[in-house]
Amino acid sequence: MSAPRRLLLVNGPNLNLLGTRQPEIYGTATLADVERIAGEAAAETDFEVRTIQSNHEGVLIDAIHAARADCAGIVINPGGLTHTSVALRDALTGVSLPFAEIHISDVNAREEFRRFSYLHDVAAVRVIGEGVEGYRSAVRQLSALIA
Ligand code: CA2
């Protein structure tokens, strides 16, 4: 059977606040804008996007597990869990779907603790510090890799 033309877009803790605070770091676009950008990029190659944002690690892990049934890949901004979560890494490697890790800000140019990512060696694509347009790039690169 051919792979489903669907990607799961995961946004982790606090990304629901996009566009409301810290514009100097994250810009002024909202989570709705991010989800629209990802959907537009996916449509270029006839993919659709399912979105989830949660502030709860277990909810994100459940969504990643569910993606195994009907998604071809995952685009994820894990928020602060990037730097802390073995469980999120295990979920992503456990479902064996290719995934793109995206960060809006340049995590390498901020506090030292943001430089390490538990996903850095298992992500198929990494996009860092390109603002919310980075989601477009992540979706395009992941779709190309799957197709
Ligand atoms: O740069 C990114 O995309 C991050 O993944 C964002 C996380 C941060 O912990 C990572 O180190 C880098 C934080 C997401 C919180 O987003 C906010 C947006 C607006 C206002 C407050 C928080």
Side-chain angles (χ1 to χ4, degrees), residues 11-147:
N11 278 294
N14 299 308
L15 286 157
N16 55 311
L17 297 177
L18 272 179
T20 67
R21 301 217 162 77
Q22 296 185 266
E24 68 287 1
I25 300 176
Y26 300 113
T28 55
T30 63
L31 179 63
D33 293 328
V34 160
E35 293 178 344
R36 178 185 46 76
I37 286 168
E40 279 171 11
E44 290 169 7
T45 47
D46 208 25
F47 274 87
E48 67 174 44
V49 171
R50 176 192 298 150
T51 62
I52 179 171
Q53 187 280 326
S54 178
N55 297 322
H56 304 279
E57 189 171 9
V59 171
L60 299 174
I61 290 172
D62 286 345
I64 290 165
H65 290 179
R68 193 173 33 173
D70 59 2
C71 293
I74 298 173
V75 175
I76 182 165
N77 183 343
L81 295 173
T82 306
H83 320 295
T84 63
S85 181
V86 174
L88 198 61
R89 176 193 169 102
D90 288 345
L92 287 160
T93 55
V95 297
S96 294
L97 292 173
F99 73 91
E101 174 185 0
I102 163 69
H103 298 286
I104 298 166
S105 66
D106 182 358
V107 284
N108 295 314
R110 298 179 63 190
E111 302 96 326
E112 182 67 31
F113 64 82
R114 294 189 202 275
R115 297 177 76 94
F116 177 77
S117 163
Y118 273 101
L119 306 184
H120 80 275
D121 59 331
V122 284
V125 171
R126 298 189 81 214
V127 178
I128 294 170
E130 296 183 14
V132 296
E133 279 297 315
Y135 284 86
R136 196 184 305 278
S137 174
V139 167
R140 282 178 176 161
Q141 289 185 63
L142 189 66
S143 316
L145 196 140
I146 291 164

